[in-house]
Amino acid sequence: MNWRENTEHKFEKLADLIFENSKKTILAVLLIVVALGSQLPTLKMDTSTEGFLHKTDDLRVKYDAFRDQFGRDEKILVAIKTKDIFNPDFLQKLAKLHQELENNLPYIEEVDSLINSRNTHGTKESLIVDDLFDNFKIDKQTLASKKQLALANPLLKDLLFNGDKTFTNLIIDTQTYSSFDENGNKVVIDEQDEFAEEEISNTPKLYLTDAENTKIIEAVQKITQKYEADDFQIHLAGSALFAGSIKQAMQKDTQSFIQKMLMMVIIVLALMFRRVSGVVLPLITVFLTVISALSLMAIFNAPFTVVTQIMPSFLLAVITGASVHLLAMFYKEFSKTQDKKSSLRFAMGHSGFAIVMTSLTTAAGMWSFSFSEVAPVANLGIFASSSIVVGLLFVLILLPALISTLKLKHKPVAKHNAMMDNVLHKIADFALNRAKPIVIVSSLMIVVAVFFATQMKFSHFPLIWFEADHPVRAGIETIDRELNGSMTLEIIVDTGRENGLYEPEILQKIENTTNYLNTFNNADIFVGKTITLVDVLKETNKALNANDQAFYKIPDNKDLIAQELFLFSNSGSDDLEDFVDAAFSKVRITVKVPFVDAIKYNKFLSEIDKKITQEFNTSADVSFTGIGVLLASVMEKSIHSSAISYVLAFGLITIMMIILIGNIKVGLISMIPNILPMLVLMAAMVGFGIPFDMFSMLVGAIALGLAVDDTVHFMHNFNRYRLAGKNVDEAVRLTLQGTGRAIVVTSIVLSLGFLVLLSASMTNMFNFGVLTASAIFVALIADFLLVPAIMKLLEKK
């Protein structure tokens, strides 16, 4: 008895053991799932940009330090189009909207608009910093002078209004930290408590949560909807709103995916088995697997993200496929013997090892993502692969136990099964009789596909995940066009010494940098505006010199700079906190940019980094952070991590195929049909202009893990017949007639599992669904035609 026969014999013994202890087995499994499921309510959702990076990632650490110092840089932008923003009726309505947002939005710091824009001016005795419109009062008598002040302030153009004064902007700053602690308890700070500061510092702070951000977004959408009119057209944008909109789409889509997938699986299983048990049993197995998967994520504090969103549908398809292989063999044998125990024994012995191997190859394809530098992709790899193993245990332990307890009626082999067997027999004859042409055509396809695959271009542009007419995308594109940018990136200049920012030389270098950035413009990206400490200082210097425009410049005396900044900080404005640290050693430069492809951000950052580093030389350390920088980093890490994932997946699966087949040469050759779907997809993506983004790059490793499943089942059964003394032709025909029907059904189930993504509201999920389903279809064709053809040509006469 060889090791394969010994393994199959152990599966037969396992079937007997489960049959004799079926009720105990079911109870034990249910208790474990209930224990895991108790943690399900703690599962969190995260659509933030920083959530794409591991918490230990250097960029994430720097970004967290930036937020701790300067606050959250993710804004919500409410841009309004009208005929004239300085029309008194419009301004009154704007003031009313501003007040309502300020008074009713949860978890926000402040709202900035034209109404409360900073107005810095001086008198003979003092420096005055107040709002452009005090107490939200729009006085028609003073409106002309207020308009003149606003237009004279260079900081406001492209920040709060556009060039032709038809667009104005409200900027909503959200809280940096959550209002709840890690246990979900409300954080209450009593400002009168003299020990409050000490208590706060000893309490670990959580950043504003995804749930809190969503509540802000929903409140903004609800409030602004009331003000929408022909002469008050509202556009919403900002990175905080974009993240919230993705979450809204995810919640809607995930529920829809699961419902549609369940319906399709039920229909396919009903048509195949024509038994209630053939439908219910796989669904029970799948349901418990998905519950366990999401519970494991909750236990290990891994959030549900736009990437792991595919996991429930994926598991539904994969575990259903494994269940189908076991049930198909069981029902086929049961129709002959009418004995459950012997039929279950036969099914486990015949398909148990193949199901283990297919599950492990699929898990290996997913596990290859676990080393990704992109956190949600790594979580997908870890929890999808572990959940496949959990599902495998349910298929091989729970499913046989459920079969053992059910009363099943004997049914003869259905006519439609005989028809399918006839079709599969013809397919086998076609592949065997035309082996050489099939191999030649497949080889040509691989060569052509490789050529096209080398033309692929990488891209990561989350904005185009939404359709062109989607309010979020339309709003961002409008604000990018009218107000020169809806995104920001941050440049941190650290002098490394206390009061280093009082030095005129450093401030001049900051101004040189902003002048350079403000004139930066190429075909891919432009800088809409820069905002920094220098703007505040020049405003103050002008105000303290009789409001003379000639003094809108940096003073050339260190002591004067210190004095002016001191006067500004004592004027009642806290704006300095937004730009510098308490020691005046570190300053931020906020750069407004449009929402563009992350690849373009990378090129932009590389270009300006050289110039800015050269400007400061050794006088200060310069670093980049902010949402724009994180977005650029995510794509760079995705490309690098995907390359590693592909190598890992291919290597692991190849080793498994060699072990399964027991022959290195044949094992390597059998991987050719599994490479074909990947290459064909890459060529199709180039041909149809589908971007190689973070999602489409996942398809290759997933497709490889899924495609090889059919090859494993084919080769496992083929080897059984060959060892039994059958020639290649007989072995191929018997294999296709034996396990071919299950391969067809599992391929249909898997394809449908991903085709439900076609109903997604975001195009990234649509593309992912089309590509993965197509890969499964190509893999099925390759396994039914190319694998038999290769086996035929490898046969030694």
Side-chain angles (χ1 to χ4, degrees):
M1 182 183 291
N2 61 35
W3 69 270
R4 286 189 187 81
E5 292 173 330
N6 187 44
T7 301
E8 291 173 3
H9 185 59
K10 289 185 183 299
F11 275 106
E12 291 173 350
K13 285 186 174 181
L14 176 62
D16 291 339
L17 181 64
I18 293 171
F19 189 87
E20 293 165 4
N21 299 277
S22 58
K23 292 182 180 179
K24 292 179 182 178
T25 302
I26 294 170
L27 180 61
V29 170
L30 289 178
L31 287 174
I32 293 171
V33 174
V34 168
L36 289 172
S38 65
Q39 300 301 310
L40 193 57
T42 64
L43 181 65
K44 297 180 177 65
M45 187 174 283
D46 184 8
T47 54
S48 64
T49 303
E50 68 270 19
F52 280 93
L53 300 177
H54 294 286
K55 290 183 179 179
T56 55
D57 189 286
D58 187 50
L59 272 177
R60 174 78 179 267
V61 171
K62 287 181 179 178
Y63 181 64
D64 288 344
F66 164 81
R67 289 192 289 180
D68 290 336
Q69 177 64 63
F70 298 109
R72 192 176 187 228
D73 68 321
E74 290 190 273
K75 315 291 185 186
I76 300 172
L77 308 180
V78 182
I80 304 137
K81 180 175 181 173
T82 189
K83 293 179 181 178
D84 178 15
I85 63 171
F86 289 103
N87 178 282
D89 293 333
F90 174 82
L91 286 172
Q92 286 172 357
K93 189 173 181 179
L94 178 66
K96 185 179 178 182
L97 172 60
H98 182 127
Q99 284 182 294
E100 185 167 357
L101 290 170
E102 200 165 59
N103 295 333
N104 296 312
L105 290 182
Y107 317 125
I108 67 164
E109 292 288 347
E110 60 183 352
V111 178
D112 294 313
S113 73
L114 192 60
I115 303 298
N116 69 337
S117 59
R118 188 173 66 241
N119 180 32
T120 306
H121 56 101
T123 64
K124 291 181 179 180
E125 294 80 17
S126 62
L127 175 72
I128 300 172
V129 182
D130 56 16
D131 294 342
L132 185 62
F133 294 95
D134 292 324
N135 299 318
F136 296 90
K137 291 181 180 179
I138 311 301
D139 187 351
K140 294 182 180 181
Q141 282 71 33
T142 60
L143 184 56
S145 61
K146 299 289 187 182
K147 177 179 178 180
Q148 187 176 359
L149 285 171
L151 296 179
N153 188 341
L155 188 63
L156 301 187
K157 184 179 178 296
D158 293 330
L159 181 65
L160 294 181
F161 59 80
N162 66 344
D164 59 7
K165 280 77 73 182
T166 57
F167 261 86
T168 189
N169 199 18
L170 293 97
I171 304 171
I172 301 170
D173 279 326
T174 59
Q175 290 177 188
T176 302
Y177 302 108
S178 173
S179 295
F180 301 89
D181 61 22
E182 56 187 1
N183 297 317
N185 299 317
K186 180 80 173 177
V187 176
V188 180
I189 301 174
D190 184 359
E191 295 181 358
Q192 303 302 318
D193 187 351
E194 60 180 324
F195 300 107
E197 193 66 35
E198 181 180 350
E199 290 175 6
I200 295 168
S201 62
N202 292 331
T203 303
K205 295 181 180 179
L206 302 177
Y207 293 110
L208 189 79
T209 65
D210 208 57
E212 288 170 316
N213 188 68
T214 299
K215 287 183 179 179
I216 303 171
I217 302 305
E218 290 173 348
V220 169
Q221 291 170 332
K222 185 177 180 180
I223 291 171
T224 54
Q225 190 176 21
K226 297 187 298 183
Y227 288 82
E228 182 75 38
D230 290 340
D231 60 345
F232 206 91
Q233 298 175 23
I234 297 175
H235 301 272
L236 302 179
S239 51
L241 180 126
F242 186 73
S245 299
I246 288 179
K247 180 179 178 179
Q248 289 174 336
M250 279 177 57
Q251 290 174 324
K252 178 183 175 184
D253 286 349
T254 302
Q255 184 177 1
S256 173
F257 295 159
I258 294 175
Q259 290 174 348
K260 291 174 181 176
M261 180 59 186
L262 280 173
M263 288 301 299
M264 290 181 178
V265 168
I266 289 170
I267 292 170
V268 172
L269 293 176
L271 289 174
M272 180 180 183
F273 294 123
R274 307 294 175 94
R275 289 175 177 268
V276 174
S277 60
V279 176
V280 174
L281 294 181
L283 292 182
I284 292 174
T285 308
V286 167
F287 176 74
L288 296 182
T289 303
V290 172
I291 292 294
S292 301
L294 298 178
S295 299
L296 286 172
M297 292 180 67
I299 290 169
F300 289 96
N301 202 29
F304 197 67
T305 65
V306 70
V307 176
T308 53
Q309 179 189 9
I310 67 173
M311 202 165 75
S313 297
F314 174 79
L315 290 174
L316 201 158
V318 170
I319 304 305
T320 299
S323 302
V324 164
H325 277 283
L326 185 66
L327 288 173
M329 299 310 300
F330 169 78
Y331 286 133
K332 185 176 182 180
E333 187 68 13
F334 185 64
S335 66
K336 299 176 184 176
T337 65
Q338 301 182 42
D339 180 50
K340 277 199 301 184
K341 186 174 182 179
S342 64
S343 299
L344 188 59
R345 200 170 192 273
F346 172 81
M348 288 283 281
H350 185 280
S351 298
F353 179 61
I355 290 171
V356 169
M357 290 300 293
T358 56
S359 297
L360 292 180
T361 53
T362 303
M366 300 305 295
W367 182 76
S368 66
F369 296 130
S370 62
F371 299 97
S372 175
E373 297 173 87
V374 182
V377 175
N379 284 338
L380 176 66
I382 294 168
F383 292 101
S385 59
S386 58
S387 298
I388 290 169
V389 174
V390 171
L392 169 64
L393 295 176
F394 289 157
V395 170
L396 295 180
I397 295 175
L398 177 63
L399 190 57
L402 291 171
I403 291 172
S404 302
T405 58
L406 291 177
K407 292 183 179 180
L408 300 175
K409 294 180 179 179
H410 170 259
K411 286 187 177 182
V413 178
K415 291 182 179 180
H416 70 277
N417 288 345
M419 290 176 60
M420 184 178 286
D421 287 345
N422 186 43
V423 171
L424 292 171
H425 189 280
K426 290 180 179 179
I427 291 173
D429 288 344
F430 180 85
L432 293 167
N433 296 330
R434 295 169 176 80
K436 283 186 178 180
I438 289 173
V439 171
I440 292 171
V441 170
S442 299
S443 300
L444 290 174
M445 287 177 65
I446 290 174
V447 171
V448 173
V450 168
F451 171 77
F452 275 98
T454 58
Q455 312 299 313
M456 65 183 181
K457 294 181 180 179
F458 295 103
S459 170
H460 183 62
F461 193 12
L463 186 61
I464 63 171
W465 293 352
F466 293 103
E467 297 293 342
D469 59 349
H470 191 281
V472 172
R473 179 174 173 180
I476 289 174
E477 289 176 341
T478 300
I479 293 175
D480 280 344
R481 182 175 62 252
E482 298 291 344
L483 292 166
N484 286 336
S486 60
M487 295 282 289
T488 60
L489 61 87
E490 303 286 345
I491 302 172
I492 306 300
V493 178
D494 188 355
T495 64
R497 52 193 180 277
E498 188 173 357
N499 297 329
L501 294 172
Y502 291 157
E503 299 171 12
E505 295 81 8
I506 291 292
L507 293 173
Q508 189 58 55
K509 289 179 181 294
I510 293 172
E511 184 166 42
N512 292 343
T513 298
T514 58
N515 289 339
Y516 159 70
L517 290 170
N518 284 328
T519 57
F520 186 96
N521 193 346
N522 62 29
D524 293 329
I525 194 170
F526 61 84
V527 172
K529 194 169 200 64
T530 56
I531 310 163
T532 188
L533 171 69
V534 170
D535 300 308
V536 175
L537 180 60
K538 290 195 293 186
E539 280 182 13
T540 305
N541 191 50
K542 172 189 170 184
L544 292 172
N545 286 275
N547 303 306
D548 187 347
Q549 186 64 32
F551 286 89
Y552 189 77
K553 62 181 181 179
I554 301 170
D556 55 9
N557 181 280
K558 181 178 180 179
D559 293 335
L560 182 58
I561 291 170
Q563 182 182 2
E564 290 190 354
L565 291 176
F566 176 77
L567 288 172
F568 183 88
S569 64
N570 282 280
S571 66
S573 173
D574 58 358
D575 287 359
L576 273 185
E577 297 175 7
D578 296 334
F579 299 109
V580 297
D581 63 349
F584 279 84
S585 63
K586 189 184 298 182
V587 67
R588 73 190 280 196
I589 303 173
T590 300
V591 185
K592 273 188 70 179
V593 289
F595 199 142
V596 298
D597 195 317
I599 298 296
K600 296 177 181 179
Y601 276 132
N602 273 318
K603 293 178 182 178
F604 168 66
L605 290 170
S606 298
E607 187 171 344
I608 66 172
D609 182 34
K610 295 177 184 178
K611 178 71 175 178
I612 296 172
T613 302
Q614 183 181 359
E615 175 67 44
F616 285 95
N617 199 4
T618 59
S619 59
D621 290 328
V622 179
S623 59
F624 295 82
T625 188
I627 291 300
V629 175
L630 297 186
L631 187 66
S633 174
V634 165
M635 186 57 196
E636 187 177 356
K637 293 178 184 297
S638 293
I639 296 171
H640 178 255
S641 299
S642 291
I644 295 174
S645 297
Y646 278 43
V647 172
L648 271 175
F650 185 80
L652 287 170
I653 292 171
T654 300
I655 291 171
M656 290 181 189
M657 287 297 293
I658 291 172
I659 293 172
L660 172 69
I661 296 170
N663 184 297
I664 295 176
K665 178 184 175 182
V666 178
L668 290 172
I669 292 174
S670 69
M671 288 300 293
I672 295 174
N674 299 301
I675 298 173
L676 185 61
M678 293 171 57
L679 294 175
V680 169
L681 280 191
M682 289 182 182
M685 288 173 68
V686 172
F688 290 102
I690 299 174
F692 283 82
D693 60 14
M694 184 175 65
F695 281 87
S696 55
M697 283 191 290
L698 296 176
V699 173
I702 292 176
L704 179 61
L706 293 174
V708 79
D709 288 359
D710 293 344
T711 309
V712 167
H713 280 290
F714 183 96
M715 294 304 300
H716 173 71
N717 285 276
F718 177 81
N719 280 334
R720 283 172 61 95
Y721 291 120
R722 291 290 283 141
L723 290 171
K726 306 294 182 183
N727 62 34
V728 171
D729 289 18
E730 291 173 324
V732 167
R733 292 189 184 98
L734 289 170
T735 297
L736 285 183
Q737 288 181 319
T739 195
R741 190 186 311 120
I743 289 175
V744 170
V745 173
T746 54
S747 296
I748 291 172
V749 170
L750 285 169
S751 297
L752 291 176
F754 290 101
L755 285 176
V756 298
L757 301 182
L758 269 63
S759 64
S761 57
M762 295 189 289
T763 58
N764 61 316
M765 299 305 294
F766 180 95
N767 291 338
F768 183 83
V770 169
L771 293 171
T772 311
S774 300
I776 293 167
F777 176 74
V778 173
L780 176 65
I781 300 301
D783 283 315
F784 276 13
L785 297 179
L786 184 56
V787 174
I790 290 174
M791 293 302 105
K792 175 73 173 178
L793 295 179
L794 285 176
E795 170 74 354
K796 293 181 180 179
K797 294 183 180 179

